[in-house]
Amino acid sequence: MKRTLVNVVALGLALAARLGVAQDAAPPQQHPVGIEKAMPSGVVSGGWGYVYAAYAVALGGLVLYAVSLWTRRPSAQPPQGDLP
Amino acid sequence: MPYWSPLALLALVLGVVITHLAVPSTRGWMWMVAGGLGMLALVALIYLGLVWAPPEAFMSDVGRILYVHVPYIWMCMLAFTINVGCAIAYLMKKSWRTDALAEASAEVGVLFGAGGVLMGSIWARPTWGVWWDWDPRLIATTVMLLSYVGYLAFRSFTEDPERRATWSAAVSILGYVSLPIVWFSVRWWNSLHQVQSTTQTLDSAMRIVMWWGTVTMLFFLFVFIVKRYEIARSRQSSALELPPEAARQEVAA
Amino acid sequence: MKPAGLLRGAWLVLKKDWQLEWRTRARLTATVFFSLSTLLLFSFAMGPNINVLREHAPGYLWLGILFASVLSLGESFRVESENQSLTGLLLAPVDARSIFLGKVLGNASLLFGLALVLLPVTVALYDVDLSRNPAALLLALALGCLGISAPGTVYSAMSSNARARDVMLPLLLFPVLVPMLLAAVSATKFALSKDVQEQLPSWLKLLTAFDLIYLSVGFLVFPRVVEDD
């Protein structure tokens, strides 16, 4: 609980610093919709499902591509010769 | 991350790839060594990323996705840079090898790019609350990815090999040139609309894992490019149907 | 080749294309009606709220121009390849770069003319106010059309011969046009409505930079694309 509070305060300070440096404020209704969801909660909790999904994509990509290279490999007897 | 590290990585990859292509004696074993090391490093990466690294301050465990996502994107950019280098080299001096390397690096780049964008989207959902956003890196990478998917489609639809080589070089250059423009325009649009990017802290343990991930993926980048190059070369020779010569070592090594 | 010769060659190509277009007028008419339908479809798809339509009108306008450009760019080289006239052009003492410049200007002028025809339509469908900053609006339209034509001419020279040519041109062209679309829509938006932060000059500069970059790259690359054709 205390850690969450500290994180929220730190996040708030960081964002305040950024806003201070940014240009003169435009009317606030210009920001995109998703940003509200991302800002105030401070710490993302859990989310291991996403982590596993991402690692599966990473590993799966490597494996599948390696397999596709293997199936497309030039056969042992290439009949044609060299090129300039 | 030091500013010169992308160039250093590019030089490293290029050096190893060119060594493999130019020095016949290395062709038998270098890729196998790289592949083996890569697989070991990958196992270690899974442990480091999922268990050893501490949770990130704001993203907690979701930040672990970055240890695979960021290296993937780096590899994508390296591959596309190699491709545009080959494109320029080909337009300056025609060579089938250059064209084969261009084809190989484009395909491998699309692999890493697609994976990277997908993982980025998976990361974005719990972090930003949306699957997609106007982040300049995301938009620029997606645009590059689309350009290169178009490049690969174009190559497969052009039958004449010489024309395919020249024209796809042109496509590659035009596509790559858009990268800084896209980056700048999206970033500028964001600054005008007060869009903030996510704060991200990287302590030393996380930095280590990030580098480990990059090195792991480098092994795979090398192996994939080199093997795909060989496929491209063998397709070239069957398409061109030149009289047989003793260059099967090129392919069968 | 001397700059005077280059421009003169481009002018000849441009004049030839304009004459051809005017004689047939088929491409012009088809393109205009296609864009009209597109704008109408947007207004139906986005619903009857006129405030929403007005706000997004620049986006609809530019998408309409973009979709039409795929038609007109595709045609511009089909004419050449069907009669082998590109070979004839190249054999004549006209530099390939002149051909490029002439083609780019021809395509750009066609798109610009289309944009002008579409402006009253946007007033009718989306209730935009054209009188706020007409000079900037015309400049934004001109720069944007040039931005579509410069890479589009290179890509259409390549895709006119490829298989699946109809899908190849947009597949190649659209990713490259992403920043141009962003800049053109923004510039148009600030020419049509309030520009609180004075963003308009910067977007116009970005459009100009985009055009210059793609004209230069096209200049370098186009001769290689059409040689041996």
Side-chain angles (χ1 to χ4, degrees):
Chain A
M1 181 62 194
K2 189 170 148 202
R3 195 159 154 268
T4 315
L5 193 61
V6 167
N7 284 327
V8 168
V9 170
L11 176 61
L13 284 173
L15 285 169
R18 277 214 185 190
L19 282 170
V21 168
Q23 295 155 13
D24 293 325
Q29 62 267 25
Q30 291 278 320
H31 60 265
V33 170
I35 208 76
E36 284 123 356
K37 295 180 202 154
M39 291 218 304
S41 54
V43 176
V44 177
S45 56
W48 277 101
Y50 292 104
V51 178
Y52 292 140
Y55 276 73
V57 166
L59 276 141
L62 295 176
V63 166
L64 287 171
Y65 192 69
V67 166
S68 88
L69 284 178
W70 174 257
T71 53
R72 288 183 291 169
R73 73 191 184 284
S75 54
Q77 310 264 346
Q80 314 304 336
D82 194 12
L83 307 156
Chain B
M1 191 160 282
Y3 66 91
W4 45 261
S5 41
L7 283 172
L9 285 177
L10 181 65
L12 177 65
V13 173
L14 265 177
V16 180
V17 168
I18 290 174
T19 311
H20 183 279
L21 300 182
V23 181
S25 56
T26 61
R27 281 183 211 144
W29 57 268
M30 204 149 84
W31 72 273
M32 287 201 258
V33 168
L37 287 175
M39 287 196 273
L40 289 173
L42 187 61
V43 171
L45 177 66
I46 295 173
Y47 170 74
L48 289 172
L50 292 177
V51 177
W52 184 79
E56 204 266 347
F58 302 126
M59 291 183 266
S60 76
D61 292 308
V62 170
R64 298 174 188 280
I65 296 177
L66 296 177
Y67 304 131
V68 276
H69 163 67
V70 170
Y72 250 64
I73 296 294
W74 278 71
M75 297 306 118
C76 163
M77 287 300 156
L78 281 176
F80 287 157
T81 309
I82 293 176
N83 173 274
V84 85
C86 289
I88 296 172
Y90 185 84
L91 290 181
M92 296 197 309
K93 178 174 188 254
K94 295 193 189 197
S95 151
W96 291 117
R97 293 174 188 232
T98 313
D99 182 53
L101 187 57
E103 184 179 311
S105 53
E107 195 178 283
V108 175
V110 165
L111 164 80
F112 280 111
V117 168
L118 191 54
M119 284 189 276
S121 192
I122 295 174
W123 174 85
R125 180 64 172 166
T127 316
W128 293 337
V130 287
W131 294 106
W132 184 264
D133 201 350
W134 274 57
D135 180 63
R137 293 162 299 183
L138 175 58
I139 307 256
T141 312
T142 309
V143 164
M144 280 287 274
L145 193 57
L146 288 173
S147 299
Y148 273 100
V149 167
Y151 172 97
L152 290 176
F154 182 75
R155 281 191 75 101
S156 72
F157 280 130
T158 311
E159 275 145 2
D160 175 40
E162 266 218 52
R163 182 174 278 185
R164 173 170 59 223
T166 312
W167 286 7
S168 54
V171 171
S172 161
I173 292 171
L174 281 166
Y176 200 86
V177 160
S178 76
L179 179 64
I181 306 174
V182 173
W183 179 284
F184 177 76
S185 51
V186 176
R187 189 165 151 165
W188 191 49
W189 192 96
N190 283 349
S191 74
L192 292 170
H193 293 80
Q194 307 279 296
V195 174
Q196 307 297 336
S197 56
T198 315
T199 51
Q200 188 182 309
T201 55
L202 260 191
D203 74 26
S204 55
M206 294 187 231
R207 223 182 293 261
I208 293 174
V209 183
M210 199 74 85
W211 270 109
W212 187 269
T214 309
V215 169
T216 308
M217 296 304 164
L218 271 175
F219 287 127
F220 287 106
L221 181 74
F222 167 69
V223 173
F224 287 165
I225 287 183
V226 151
K227 285 289 144 193
R228 184 62 181 79
Y229 169 89
E230 287 171 7
I231 295 173
R233 285 288 273 166
S234 89
R235 282 184 189 171
Q236 277 173 350
S237 36
S238 41
L240 291 165
E241 290 174 356
L242 291 177
E245 265 184 32
R248 343 145 102 230
Q249 291 94 359
E250 167 92 47
V251 168
Chain C
M1 194 175 182
K2 287 189 285 221
L6 203 68
L7 287 173
R8 201 165 161 275
W11 173 245
L12 289 172
V13 171
L14 185 60
K15 232 174 32 164
K16 169 190 87 77
D17 275 350
W18 275 346
Q19 281 171 340
L20 250 168
E21 272 315 309
W22 187 249
R23 268 186 224 140
T24 59
R25 291 198 280 281
R27 179 156 73 118
L28 277 169
T29 325
T31 317
V32 167
F33 278 103
F34 175 74
S35 323
L36 282 177
S37 323
T38 312
L39 291 188
L40 197 62
L41 286 176
F42 277 125
S43 77
F44 279 120
M46 305 303 161
N49 184 345
I50 197 65
N51 293 317
V52 170
L53 288 177
R54 190 189 304 117
E55 196 184 321
H56 296 145
Y60 304 146
L61 174 63
W62 276 106
L63 283 176
I65 297 174
L66 190 64
F67 294 150
S69 76
V70 171
L71 282 183
S72 71
L73 283 169
E75 282 298 315
S76 77
F77 274 96
R78 199 163 302 168
V79 164
E80 307 287 7
S81 58
E82 268 163 18
N83 300 332
Q84 301 284 347
S85 48
L86 191 58
T87 320
L89 255 181
L90 286 164
L91 287 173
V94 179
D95 197 342
R97 292 173 299 170
S98 299
I99 300 177
F100 173 67
L101 203 53
K103 286 273 174 196
V104 167
L105 291 173
N107 287 323
S109 54
L110 181 67
L111 288 175
F112 185 70
L114 173 69
L116 290 178
V117 168
L118 291 178
L119 280 180
V121 178
T122 59
V123 172
L125 287 174
Y126 312 133
D127 191 36
V128 298
D129 177 16
L130 295 181
S131 60
R132 183 179 285 272
N133 196 344
L137 177 64
L138 289 175
L139 187 57
L141 288 175
L143 289 173
C145 292
L146 198 57
I148 297 178
S149 296
T153 303
V154 180
Y155 286 138
S156 73
M158 294 193 271
S159 50
S160 60
N161 278 320
R163 280 167 29 212
R165 60 169 89 158
D166 296 321
V167 82
M168 193 53 61
L169 178 60
L171 180 60
L172 291 173
L173 188 58
F174 286 177
V176 156
L177 290 183
V178 162
M180 196 248 36
L181 192 61
L182 176 60
V185 168
S186 302
T188 311
K189 185 168 77 167
F190 292 121
L192 291 175
S193 55
K194 271 198 313 236
D195 186 7
V196 175
Q197 291 172 300
E198 300 268 330
Q199 294 180 29
L200 182 58
S202 311
W203 286 114
L204 289 174
K205 278 185 224 157
L206 182 64
L207 267 178
T208 313
F210 183 92
D211 289 350
L212 288 173
I213 291 173
Y214 272 96
L215 277 170
S216 327
V217 175
F219 228 57
L220 291 171
V221 147
F222 186 82
R224 301 302 306 275
V225 166
V226 294
E227 75 185 7
D228 308 325
D229 208 5

mmCIF file of all heavy atoms in Angstrom, chain C residues 177-210:
data_model
loop_
_atom_site.group_PDB
_atom_site.id
_atom_site.type_symbol
_atom_site.label_atom_id
_atom_site.label_comp_id
_atom_site.label_asym_id
_atom_site.label_seq_id
_atom_site.Cartn_x
_atom_site.Cartn_y
_atom_site.Cartn_z
ATOM 1 N N LEU C 177 3.249 7.270 -47.829
ATOM 2 C CA LEU C 177 2.501 8.515 -47.767
ATOM 3 C C LEU C 177 1.968 8.844 -46.373
ATOM 4 O O LEU C 177 1.328 9.885 -46.207
ATOM 5 C CB LEU C 177 1.324 8.474 -48.756
ATOM 6 C CG LEU C 177 1.717 8.521 -50.224
ATOM 7 C CD1 LEU C 177 0.471 8.556 -51.090
ATOM 8 C CD2 LEU C 177 2.574 9.734 -50.526
ATOM 9 N N VAL C 178 2.201 7.998 -45.408
ATOM 10 C CA VAL C 178 1.653 8.240 -44.063
ATOM 11 C C VAL C 178 2.027 9.627 -43.528
ATOM 12 O O VAL C 178 1.147 10.383 -43.104
ATOM 13 C CB VAL C 178 2.082 7.119 -43.089
ATOM 14 C CG1 VAL C 178 1.931 7.546 -41.648
ATOM 15 C CG2 VAL C 178 1.280 5.872 -43.350
ATOM 16 N N PRO C 179 3.318 10.003 -43.522
ATOM 17 C CA PRO C 179 3.618 11.339 -42.979
ATOM 18 C C PRO C 179 3.044 12.459 -43.826
ATOM 19 O O PRO C 179 2.640 13.508 -43.303
ATOM 20 C CB PRO C 179 5.144 11.379 -42.965
ATOM 21 C CG PRO C 179 5.584 10.354 -43.914
ATOM 22 C CD PRO C 179 4.544 9.303 -43.952
ATOM 23 N N MET C 180 2.991 12.237 -45.148
ATOM 24 C CA MET C 180 2.444 13.277 -46.010
ATOM 25 C C MET C 180 0.964 13.484 -45.719
ATOM 26 O O MET C 180 0.475 14.610 -45.670
ATOM 27 C CB MET C 180 2.630 12.870 -47.481
ATOM 28 C CG MET C 180 2.448 14.001 -48.409
ATOM 29 S SD MET C 180 1.063 14.024 -49.497
ATOM 30 C CE MET C 180 -0.304 13.366 -48.769
ATOM 31 N N LEU C 181 0.273 12.384 -45.516
ATOM 32 C CA LEU C 181 -1.156 12.474 -45.214
ATOM 33 C C LEU C 181 -1.371 13.231 -43.911
ATOM 34 O O LEU C 181 -2.221 14.115 -43.817
ATOM 35 C CB LEU C 181 -1.735 11.056 -45.111
ATOM 36 C CG LEU C 181 -3.242 10.928 -45.086
ATOM 37 C CD1 LEU C 181 -3.845 11.479 -46.358
ATOM 38 C CD2 LEU C 181 -3.622 9.467 -44.923
ATOM 39 N N LEU C 182 -0.565 12.881 -42.908
ATOM 40 C CA LEU C 182 -0.668 13.558 -41.619
ATOM 41 C C LEU C 182 -0.460 15.059 -41.779
ATOM 42 O O LEU C 182 -1.244 15.878 -41.289
ATOM 43 C CB LEU C 182 0.373 12.960 -40.668
ATOM 44 C CG LEU C 182 0.522 13.580 -39.290
ATOM 45 C CD1 LEU C 182 -0.766 13.505 -38.530
ATOM 46 C CD2 LEU C 182 1.616 12.861 -38.516
ATOM 47 N N ALA C 183 0.600 15.426 -42.499
ATOM 48 C CA ALA C 183 0.907 16.842 -42.662
ATOM 49 C C ALA C 183 -0.143 17.551 -43.497
ATOM 50 O O ALA C 183 -0.566 18.668 -43.171
ATOM 51 C CB ALA C 183 2.295 17.002 -43.308
ATOM 52 N N ALA C 184 -0.584 16.918 -44.578
ATOM 53 C CA ALA C 184 -1.556 17.569 -45.470
ATOM 54 C C ALA C 184 -2.884 17.768 -44.754
ATOM 55 O O ALA C 184 -3.506 18.835 -44.861
ATOM 56 C CB ALA C 184 -1.748 16.736 -46.740
ATOM 57 N N VAL C 185 -3.331 16.755 -44.032
ATOM 58 C CA VAL C 185 -4.601 16.883 -43.317
ATOM 59 C C VAL C 185 -4.497 17.967 -42.249
ATOM 60 O O VAL C 185 -5.402 18.788 -42.090
ATOM 61 C CB VAL C 185 -5.021 15.537 -42.690
ATOM 62 C CG1 VAL C 185 -6.165 15.716 -41.723
ATOM 63 C CG2 VAL C 185 -5.401 14.555 -43.770
ATOM 64 N N SER C 186 -3.380 17.979 -41.528
ATOM 65 C CA SER C 186 -3.213 19.010 -40.499
ATOM 66 C C SER C 186 -3.181 20.396 -41.105
ATOM 67 O O SER C 186 -3.826 21.320 -40.607
ATOM 68 C CB SER C 186 -1.935 18.758 -39.706
ATOM 69 O OG SER C 186 -1.959 17.492 -39.108
ATOM 70 N N ALA C 187 -2.420 20.554 -42.192
ATOM 71 C CA ALA C 187 -2.330 21.869 -42.821
ATOM 72 C C ALA C 187 -3.694 22.314 -43.325
ATOM 73 O O ALA C 187 -4.107 23.467 -43.136
ATOM 74 C CB ALA C 187 -1.320 21.835 -43.964
ATOM 75 N N THR C 188 -4.418 21.405 -43.946
ATOM 76 C CA THR C 188 -5.747 21.736 -44.454
ATOM 77 C C THR C 188 -6.678 22.097 -43.309
ATOM 78 O O THR C 188 -7.461 23.042 -43.388
ATOM 79 C CB THR C 188 -6.325 20.550 -45.246
ATOM 80 O OG1 THR C 188 -5.370 20.081 -46.171
ATOM 81 C CG2 THR C 188 -7.592 20.941 -45.963
ATOM 82 N N LYS C 189 -6.572 21.328 -42.232
ATOM 83 C CA LYS C 189 -7.439 21.598 -41.085
ATOM 84 C C LYS C 189 -7.214 23.004 -40.560
ATOM 85 O O LYS C 189 -8.156 23.726 -40.265
ATOM 86 C CB LYS C 189 -7.153 20.581 -39.980
ATOM 87 C CG LYS C 189 -8.076 20.704 -38.791
ATOM 88 C CD LYS C 189 -7.952 19.517 -37.879
ATOM 89 C CE LYS C 189 -6.693 19.617 -37.051
ATOM 90 N NZ LYS C 189 -6.658 18.664 -35.945
ATOM 91 N N PHE C 190 -5.946 23.412 -40.446
ATOM 92 C CA PHE C 190 -5.677 24.736 -39.910
ATOM 93 C C PHE C 190 -5.926 25.836 -40.915
ATOM 94 O O PHE C 190 -6.007 27.003 -40.541
ATOM 95 C CB PHE C 190 -4.262 24.800 -39.345
ATOM 96 C CG PHE C 190 -4.105 23.952 -38.121
ATOM 97 C CD1 PHE C 190 -3.176 22.936 -38.085
ATOM 98 C CD2 PHE C 190 -4.917 24.154 -37.027
ATOM 99 C CE1 PHE C 190 -3.045 22.133 -36.964
ATOM 100 C CE2 PHE C 190 -4.807 23.356 -35.905
ATOM 101 C CZ PHE C 190 -3.871 22.349 -35.870
ATOM 102 N N ALA C 191 -6.051 25.465 -42.199
ATOM 103 C CA ALA C 191 -6.455 26.473 -43.170
ATOM 104 C C ALA C 191 -7.963 26.661 -43.164
ATOM 105 O O ALA C 191 -8.466 27.703 -43.584
ATOM 106 C CB ALA C 191 -5.975 26.066 -44.559
ATOM 107 N N LEU C 192 -8.676 25.626 -42.702
ATOM 108 C CA LEU C 192 -10.138 25.697 -42.732
ATOM 109 C C LEU C 192 -10.745 26.142 -41.404
ATOM 110 O O LEU C 192 -11.877 26.594 -41.360
ATOM 111 C CB LEU C 192 -10.728 24.330 -43.101
ATOM 112 C CG LEU C 192 -10.499 23.857 -44.527
ATOM 113 C CD1 LEU C 192 -11.028 22.450 -44.690
ATOM 114 C CD2 LEU C 192 -11.175 24.785 -45.514
ATOM 115 N N SER C 193 -9.992 25.984 -40.320
ATOM 116 C CA SER C 193 -10.578 26.334 -39.026
ATOM 117 C C SER C 193 -9.546 27.054 -38.168
ATOM 118 O O SER C 193 -8.457 27.359 -38.619
ATOM 119 C CB SER C 193 -11.086 25.085 -38.319
ATOM 120 O OG SER C 193 -10.042 24.156 -38.211
ATOM 121 N N LYS C 194 -9.884 27.271 -36.926
ATOM 122 C CA LYS C 194 -9.031 28.087 -36.054
ATOM 123 C C LYS C 194 -7.643 27.467 -35.875
ATOM 124 O O LYS C 194 -7.512 26.274 -35.661
ATOM 125 C CB LYS C 194 -9.693 28.207 -34.670
ATOM 126 C CG LYS C 194 -10.627 29.368 -34.556
ATOM 127 C CD LYS C 194 -10.890 29.695 -33.082
ATOM 128 C CE LYS C 194 -11.218 28.443 -32.273
ATOM 129 N NZ LYS C 194 -12.499 28.550 -31.570
ATOM 130 N N ASP C 195 -6.623 28.306 -35.909
ATOM 131 C CA ASP C 195 -5.254 27.833 -35.711
ATOM 132 C C ASP C 195 -4.695 28.489 -34.455
ATOM 133 O O ASP C 195 -3.943 29.455 -34.512
ATOM 134 C CB ASP C 195 -4.401 28.192 -36.945
ATOM 135 C CG ASP C 195 -3.017 27.611 -36.864
ATOM 136 O OD1 ASP C 195 -2.754 26.824 -35.928
ATOM 137 O OD2 ASP C 195 -2.196 27.930 -37.734
ATOM 138 N N VAL C 196 -5.092 27.957 -33.307
ATOM 139 C CA VAL C 196 -4.768 28.603 -32.026
ATOM 140 C C VAL C 196 -3.266 28.706 -31.798
ATOM 141 O O VAL C 196 -2.754 29.713 -31.341
ATOM 142 C CB VAL C 196 -5.427 27.813 -30.871
ATOM 143 C CG1 VAL C 196 -5.022 28.387 -29.530
ATOM 144 C CG2 VAL C 196 -6.924 27.838 -31.021
ATOM 145 N N GLN C 197 -2.547 27.633 -32.140
ATOM 146 C CA GLN C 197 -1.116 27.617 -31.843
ATOM 147 C C GLN C 197 -0.247 27.995 -33.029
ATOM 148 O O GLN C 197 0.951 27.772 -33.010
ATOM 149 C CB GLN C 197 -0.703 26.220 -31.382
ATOM 150 C CG GLN C 197 -1.243 25.836 -30.030
ATOM 151 C CD GLN C 197 -0.943 24.381 -29.740
ATOM 152 O OE1 GLN C 197 -1.376 23.481 -30.466
ATOM 153 N NE2 GLN C 197 -0.172 24.130 -28.719
ATOM 154 N N GLU C 198 -0.844 28.552 -34.094
ATOM 155 C CA GLU C 198 -0.061 28.935 -35.274
ATOM 156 C C GLU C 198 0.733 27.751 -35.822
ATOM 157 O O GLU C 198 1.923 27.862 -36.084
ATOM 158 C CB GLU C 198 0.925 30.060 -34.942
ATOM 159 C CG GLU C 198 0.286 31.335 -34.436
ATOM 160 C CD GLU C 198 0.004 32.307 -35.562
ATOM 161 O OE1 GLU C 198 0.754 32.300 -36.555
ATOM 162 O OE2 GLU C 198 -0.971 33.054 -35.465
ATOM 163 N N GLN C 199 0.080 26.624 -35.978
ATOM 164 C CA GLN C 199 0.778 25.434 -36.466
ATOM 165 C C GLN C 199 0.894 25.404 -37.976
ATOM 166 O O GLN C 199 1.714 24.671 -38.520
ATOM 167 C CB GLN C 199 0.028 24.172 -36.031
ATOM 168 C CG GLN C 199 0.031 23.955 -34.544
ATOM 169 C CD GLN C 199 -0.729 22.694 -34.202
ATOM 170 O OE1 GLN C 199 -0.793 21.764 -34.996
ATOM 171 N NE2 GLN C 199 -1.325 22.660 -33.031
ATOM 172 N N LEU C 200 0.043 26.162 -38.651
ATOM 173 C CA LEU C 200 -0.057 26.015 -40.101
ATOM 174 C C LEU C 200 1.276 26.167 -40.834
ATOM 175 O O LEU C 200 1.615 25.315 -41.663
ATOM 176 C CB LEU C 200 -1.097 27.010 -40.645
ATOM 177 C CG LEU C 200 -1.373 26.970 -42.136
ATOM 178 C CD1 LEU C 200 -1.833 25.605 -42.574
ATOM 179 C CD2 LEU C 200 -2.408 27.997 -42.510
ATOM 180 N N PRO C 201 2.076 27.215 -40.556
ATOM 181 C CA PRO C 201 3.335 27.339 -41.308
ATOM 182 C C PRO C 201 4.248 26.121 -41.124
ATOM 183 O O PRO C 201 4.901 25.693 -42.080
ATOM 184 C CB PRO C 201 3.981 28.592 -40.704
ATOM 185 C CG PRO C 201 2.900 29.324 -40.034
ATOM 186 C CD PRO C 201 1.896 28.327 -39.597
ATOM 187 N N SER C 202 4.258 25.568 -39.916
ATOM 188 C CA SER C 202 5.153 24.431 -39.686
ATOM 189 C C SER C 202 4.721 23.205 -40.482
ATOM 190 O O SER C 202 5.551 22.488 -41.042
ATOM 191 C CB SER C 202 5.189 24.086 -38.208
ATOM 192 O OG SER C 202 5.414 25.233 -37.449
ATOM 193 N N TRP C 203 3.406 22.974 -40.553
ATOM 194 C CA TRP C 203 2.936 21.825 -41.335
ATOM 195 C C TRP C 203 3.232 22.027 -42.814
ATOM 196 O O TRP C 203 3.585 21.084 -43.534
ATOM 197 C CB TRP C 203 1.452 21.583 -41.111
ATOM 198 C CG TRP C 203 1.143 20.988 -39.780
ATOM 199 C CD1 TRP C 203 0.454 21.564 -38.764
ATOM 200 C CD2 TRP C 203 1.537 19.696 -39.305
ATOM 201 N NE1 TRP C 203 0.381 20.710 -37.695
ATOM 202 C CE2 TRP C 203 1.031 19.557 -38.009
ATOM 203 C CE3 TRP C 203 2.259 18.630 -39.863
ATOM 204 C CZ2 TRP C 203 1.230 18.407 -37.250
ATOM 205 C CZ3 TRP C 203 2.454 17.481 -39.103
ATOM 206 C CH2 TRP C 203 1.936 17.383 -37.816
ATOM 207 N N LEU C 204 3.094 23.261 -43.278
ATOM 208 C CA LEU C 204 3.410 23.526 -44.683
ATOM 209 C C LEU C 204 4.896 23.289 -44.957
ATOM 210 O O LEU C 204 5.279 22.776 -46.006
ATOM 211 C CB LEU C 204 3.013 24.959 -45.051
ATOM 212 C CG LEU C 204 1.506 25.204 -45.138
ATOM 213 C CD1 LEU C 204 1.209 26.680 -45.363
ATOM 214 C CD2 LEU C 204 0.897 24.388 -46.268
ATOM 215 N N LYS C 205 5.714 23.672 -43.970
ATOM 216 C CA LYS C 205 7.150 23.430 -44.145
ATOM 217 C C LYS C 205 7.450 21.939 -44.187
ATOM 218 O O LYS C 205 8.284 21.479 -44.980
ATOM 219 C CB LYS C 205 7.942 24.069 -42.988
ATOM 220 C CG LYS C 205 8.202 25.536 -43.169
ATOM 221 C CD LYS C 205 9.092 26.074 -42.060
ATOM 222 C CE LYS C 205 8.552 27.392 -41.561
ATOM 223 N NZ LYS C 205 8.980 27.732 -40.213
ATOM 224 N N LEU C 206 6.767 21.181 -43.338
ATOM 225 C CA LEU C 206 6.973 19.727 -43.349
ATOM 226 C C LEU C 206 6.574 19.143 -44.696
ATOM 227 O O LEU C 206 7.279 18.306 -45.265
ATOM 228 C CB LEU C 206 6.159 19.078 -42.222
ATOM 229 C CG LEU C 206 6.315 17.565 -42.066
ATOM 230 C CD1 LEU C 206 7.725 17.204 -41.698
ATOM 231 C CD2 LEU C 206 5.372 17.024 -41.018
ATOM 232 N N LEU C 207 5.452 19.596 -45.236
ATOM 233 C CA LEU C 207 5.012 19.145 -46.558
ATOM 234 C C LEU C 207 6.049 19.483 -47.622
ATOM 235 O O LEU C 207 6.347 18.657 -48.494
ATOM 236 C CB LEU C 207 3.679 19.807 -46.930
ATOM 237 C CG LEU C 207 2.401 19.059 -46.586
ATOM 238 C CD1 LEU C 207 1.215 19.902 -46.984
ATOM 239 C CD2 LEU C 207 2.376 17.721 -47.281
ATOM 240 N N THR C 208 6.575 20.694 -47.555
ATOM 241 C CA THR C 208 7.585 21.101 -48.530
ATOM 242 C C THR C 208 8.812 20.207 -48.431
ATOM 243 O O THR C 208 9.364 19.761 -49.447
ATOM 244 C CB THR C 208 8.001 22.565 -48.311
ATOM 245 O OG1 THR C 208 6.830 23.352 -48.160
ATOM 246 C CG2 THR C 208 8.832 23.078 -49.457
ATOM 247 N N ALA C 209 9.233 19.946 -47.187
ATOM 248 C CA ALA C 209 10.406 19.085 -46.996
ATOM 249 C C ALA C 209 10.145 17.692 -47.569
ATOM 250 O O ALA C 209 10.996 17.123 -48.265
ATOM 251 C CB ALA C 209 10.743 18.977 -45.504
ATOM 252 N N PHE C 210 8.971 17.159 -47.273
ATOM 253 C CA PHE C 210 8.607 15.849 -47.814
ATOM 254 C C PHE C 210 8.699 15.855 -49.338
ATOM 255 O O PHE C 210 9.284 14.959 -49.959
ATOM 256 C CB PHE C 210 7.186 15.511 -47.359
ATOM 257 C CG PHE C 210 6.712 14.156 -47.790
ATOM 258 C CD1 PHE C 210 6.892 13.054 -46.975
ATOM 259 C CD2 PHE C 210 6.091 13.983 -49.013
ATOM 260 C CE1 PHE C 210 6.459 11.805 -47.370
ATOM 261 C CE2 PHE C 210 5.661 12.739 -49.419
ATOM 262 C CZ PHE C 210 5.848 11.644 -48.595
#
